[in-house]
Amino acid sequence: MGLKVLLILGHPRRGSFCEALADGYAAGAVAAGADLRRLSLADLGFEPDVLVPSPRDQEREPAIAHAVDLVAWAEHLVFVFPTWWGTMPACLKGFLDRVLMPGFAFEDRDDGEGWDKLLVGKSAHLLTTMDTPPLVYRFIQRAPGLNAIGRATLGFCGVAPVRSTIFGPVKPASAARRAEWIEQAIREGHSLRDGALTVGQRVRGRLAAWFRSFRLQFHPMAWAAYALGAAGASQATGRFSWLAFWLGLACLFSLELATVFTNDRYDYESDIRNRHHGPFTGGSRVLVDGSISLASLHVAMLIALGAFVATGLALATVVSPLPSLVILAALGVLAIGYTVPPLKLCWRGLGEIDVGVTHSLGVILCGYAFQGGAWTNPWPWLVAVPLFFAILPAITLSGIPDYSADRAVGKGTIAVRLGPRMAVRLAQATTAAAAVTAVALLPRLIDSGILEAILLLIVPYAIAQVVLMERYLQRQLEPRRIDGLMALALTYIVFFVAIPLWVLV
């Protein structure tokens, strides 16, 4: 059985040029072996307006009921329609309003937190005619109609990817030019012999999934802390090796990749239950949504670990090998042991401490030792203290959206062990501890002039962060996404790296 394709002709008149394009696409698709069904909106009798508060409650005419069945059946949706006034005709807009109803195409969540996409796994192709020059439509008008259907409508319901083909300007086009467009539509349909996605779409989809799995949004903070350690050592010794710096950074990047890959692997049971995942919590979702297979992720884990070992050994040839390898080994055990058995530190209530140590003292000590600084020197250990406390609020708060899922699988985060409210209280306490230790330690370790920046930036920000967490507690909300608080807490960490680094460099 071939690819299941539903072709929807969204022109209100019969005998249009859009119909000729649809016929051409259909001929090519059938020749490619597709199992194709068609709907022509000019032949459907239905009320295009939603006359009740929710379209799911409106009586479904036979045409709408049939269309819902066909959309559910299809693997690939093809829309052929004219672009009028920059967007779709009224009949197509009414069709989408009636068919893509809640409970079928999407579902609002009971807690009011976002929605579930119910048409995931389907792809789409938009073929449209217009009199506007295509380049003007795409780059000056910014393709309002294609965005309305492809992103705001189909994308909202989980249909992806959605590609588009524009035919135009139609009005001045000769008969020969129109015949070329029909041949192009035939080729578009015939391309389904290789599947609904183009080679480019498949490559971009794979690359996008792997980039998501890297969780790059969390890496720069560790890189900056590593640079802080390197700058401190350079100031103490008067030397700096770019080769050691970049080899060390590559080593830490490889370890970070191995860590996020193993997190996705060993947190899968929690992630699959997590309805409150967001950009900062719940993993990368690549295993949950099937965009990367478990076998591929295992290979990536081995490659990342191999790169960590290889770059670590290469680093040992240009720096003092013993302390560097010992520090890297300890950091590797703590990082991988965050979720990997037998340590599984995040399952035992130690994950927050683990992240705080590895992303403060661990990377600062690496930067310091790789540049020839003595690891026994108290400087990197003390500089790491305020950063350690600054990291704890963010990593503690990240357990709140994941609370229900983590508790269901027995993952003992701070939020699970103490409860969400006490976790927020701990985040408030560590926010204050970070500011206090910054005032007490950083002027002595970096430069006395840094105190002014701490008092003007860190202390007011810490007060604001504590106050906003208190307001969150006063609302007495159930554990859910807290993207605002998470962004606030992650930004707080920046001060403890950026200010000292600015003074040292």
Side-chain angles (χ1 to χ4, degrees), residues 53-323:
S54 174
R56 80 166 89 197
D57 298 326
Q58 187 159 329
E59 183 179 355
R60 300 184 198 178
E61 302 91 331
I64 293 298
H66 180 57
V68 169
D69 290 340
L70 285 179
V71 171
W73 164 85
E75 298 169 313
H76 186 57
L77 305 173
V78 181
F79 295 84
V80 184
F81 61 95
T83 290
W84 293 342
W85 294 112
T87 187
M88 70 196 90
C91 65
L92 180 53
K93 178 63 167 64
F95 175 83
L96 294 173
D97 286 346
R98 293 295 313 281
V99 171
L100 301 182
M101 66 188 78
F104 168 64
F106 68 96
E107 188 66 86
D108 292 323
R109 294 178 180 170
D110 294 337
D111 56 13
E113 186 181 319
W115 71 100
D116 291 318
K117 302 177 179 183
L118 303 183
L119 298 185
V120 173
K122 301 179 187 295
S123 55
H125 190 174
L126 313 179
L127 292 84
T128 187
T129 61
M130 62 181 63
D131 290 328
T132 302
L135 290 178
V136 172
Y137 181 72
R138 285 192 184 274
F139 298 107
I140 296 179
Q141 297 180 358
R142 298 185 181 180
L146 296 178
N147 286 329
I149 298 179
R151 294 182 180 178
T153 305
L154 297 177
F156 183 91
C157 300
V159 178
V162 180
R163 60 184 292 239
S164 59
T165 303
I166 297 176
F167 302 93
V170 173
K171 187 178 292 184
S174 64
R177 181 62 173 143
R178 296 187 184 209
E180 290 176 0
W181 285 335
I182 292 174
E183 286 298 319
Q184 182 181 348
I186 294 173
R187 291 194 299 272
E188 296 281 7
H190 198 259
S191 69
L192 296 179
R193 69 184 183 280
D194 299 319
L197 306 184
T198 65
V199 173
Q201 285 176 320
R202 288 194 290 269
V203 170
R204 287 193 298 272
R206 294 291 291 175
L207 289 176
W210 280 110
F211 274 114
R212 279 195 295 126
S213 76
F214 290 176
R215 309 209 77 189
L216 293 175
Q217 65 268 38
F218 297 118
H219 294 229
M221 202 68 65
W223 300 342
Y226 169 74
L228 174 60
S234 178
Q235 188 177 74
T237 64
R239 302 187 304 273
F240 187 86
S241 168
W242 281 109
L243 178 59
F245 180 84
W246 289 114
L247 278 174
L249 191 62
C251 187
L252 293 178
F253 179 61
S254 301
L255 179 59
E256 188 79 13
L257 288 183
T259 302
V260 294
F261 293 155
T262 55
N263 289 351
D264 275 343
R265 164 64 181 87
Y266 290 98
D267 280 346
Y268 176 76
E269 291 301 324
S270 174
D271 291 345
I272 202 170
R273 291 172 169 81
N274 196 335
R275 291 177 57 83
H276 307 298
H277 57 85
F280 311 115
T281 61
S284 70
R285 318 298 295 172
V286 294
L287 284 181
V288 175
D289 63 22
S291 54
I292 293 178
S293 69
L294 182 58
S296 296
L297 195 66
H298 281 158
V299 172
M301 289 161 51
L302 293 175
I303 292 174
L305 286 172
F308 170 64
V309 172
T311 51
L313 293 175
L315 180 66
T317 65
V318 296
V319 300
S320 299
L322 184 59

Side-chain angles (χ1 to χ4, degrees), residues 417-489:
R417 289 179 177 272
L418 300 182
R421 292 188 64 82
M422 286 303 298
V424 176
R425 292 296 186 200
L426 180 60
Q428 289 177 309
T430 50
T431 296
V436 170
T437 53
V439 170
L441 294 175
L442 295 185
R444 299 180 181 181
L445 297 168
I446 307 294
D447 185 273
S448 59
I450 201 175
L451 180 60
E452 184 177 350
I454 295 171
L455 294 176
L456 291 176
L457 295 174
I458 291 179
V459 172
Y461 197 97
I463 293 171
Q465 183 162 299
V466 169
V467 169
L468 289 174
M469 283 191 278
E470 186 64 31
R471 290 182 179 177
Y472 169 78
L473 288 176
Q474 290 173 358
R475 291 198 299 269
Q476 295 183 337
L477 299 175
E478 291 296 321
R480 57 189 300 175
R481 283 178 63 166
I482 50 172
D483 293 347
L485 283 181
M486 284 298 305
L488 191 74

